[in-house]
Amino acid sequence: MSEKSAHPPTPPPTDKQRHRRGFLAATARVLVGSPMAIGFSSLVVTHLLWLLGLVRFMFPNILTEPPSRFKVGFPDEYSPGQVETKFKNRFGVWIVRHEYKGQPQIYALRTVCTHLGCTPIWLEAEQKFKCPCHGSGFFKDGVNFEGPAPRPLERYAVEIADDGQLEVDKSRKYQAELGQWKEPESFVPV
Ligand code: FES
């Protein structure tokens, strides 16, 4: 006894189906491997890259980078002689309350060595900033006194915001050797 087939035999394609398959096959032959297909693919890739660039332009990294202006607390939270290091990692700044040329003030020192750009370390016991790369040393006011650093650390602008807090602005820098530490934006008197 013969077994009954699980699937009925496939009926032969109709003229309409044959015509459609023929058309698709012809189109595929034209598109794949032809100069027209290569040109079309290049065009698509170029447009995709352009679109990617546009998205990158519209949504730059500013959302993940720390802001250039930020608040660091109220002046009376800083005691005389204090070097606050907690903003160093996130913002690259030390907030210092100290005297400069006899004037008690709060200033924001940039944590970049003026030799070749390493990050110095504040040594509380020795009351100095020490660069681990080539040994430059800076006093608490940022002035260089040992090692190869050719000039003092730089300051960022700092001011009192509307709410009374100190606000640092990293878009403006002040250099002692250019006489810029005299500028009122480079410190807050206390
Ligand atoms: S980078 Fe600081 S001493 Fe050279």
Side-chain angles (χ1 to χ4, degrees):
M1 199 168 88
S2 68
E3 281 186 23
K4 209 172 170 183
S5 169
H7 301 290
T10 311
T14 64
D15 282 353
K16 197 173 167 188
Q17 285 169 329
R18 263 199 302 272
H19 178 72
R20 195 187 317 141
R21 283 177 197 166
F23 174 75
L24 289 175
T27 307
R29 271 197 302 278
V30 169
L31 287 180
V32 178
S34 73
M36 189 173 114
I38 293 167
F40 181 72
S41 307
S42 310
L43 201 69
V44 169
V45 169
T46 306
H47 274 78
L48 280 176
L49 289 175
W50 182 83
L51 207 65
L52 219 65
L54 184 70
V55 169
R56 187 100 178 107
F57 175 76
M58 300 288 282
F59 303 98
N61 278 342
I62 51 170
L63 293 179
T64 55
E65 289 169 3
S68 67
R69 289 185 78 101
F70 50 92
K71 293 178 179 170
V72 293
F74 295 92
D76 59 10
E77 291 172 11
Y78 292 86
S79 49
Q82 181 178 348
V83 174
E84 181 54 70
T85 60
K86 71 179 176 191
F87 303 105
K88 177 181 168 185
N89 289 344
R90 180 156 160 72
F91 295 107
V93 69
W94 292 294
I95 307 299
V96 184
R97 178 172 173 173
H98 189 47
E99 283 190 7
Y100 181 67
K101 300 211 165 163
Q103 156 87 68
Q105 53 187 246
I106 292 177
Y107 46 88
L109 284 179
R110 187 173 180 236
T111 61
V112 176
C113 179
T114 51
H115 178 221
L116 292 177
C118 290
T119 305
I121 298 158
W122 169 245
L123 300 177
E124 182 70 29
E126 297 173 46
Q127 291 287 293
K128 69 177 183 183
F129 298 98
K130 185 72 175 170
C131 184
C133 290
H134 314 98
S136 289
F138 304 85
F139 292 125
K140 190 184 286 185
D141 59 13
V143 173
N144 52 310
F145 69 94
E146 65 180 350
R151 58 190 181 85
L153 297 171
E154 295 174 354
R155 291 184 181 186
Y156 289 124
V158 62
E159 63 185 7
I160 302 289
D162 291 344
D163 62 0
Q165 287 197 65
L166 295 157
E167 187 170 44
V168 176
D169 179 2
K170 287 178 68 174
S171 68
R172 289 177 287 154
K173 289 188 296 185
Y174 300 86
Q175 295 178 222
E177 71 277 14
L178 301 179
Q180 295 172 335
W181 284 7
K182 282 189 281 200
E183 294 181 25
E185 297 83 10
S186 73
F187 64 93
V188 167
V190 284

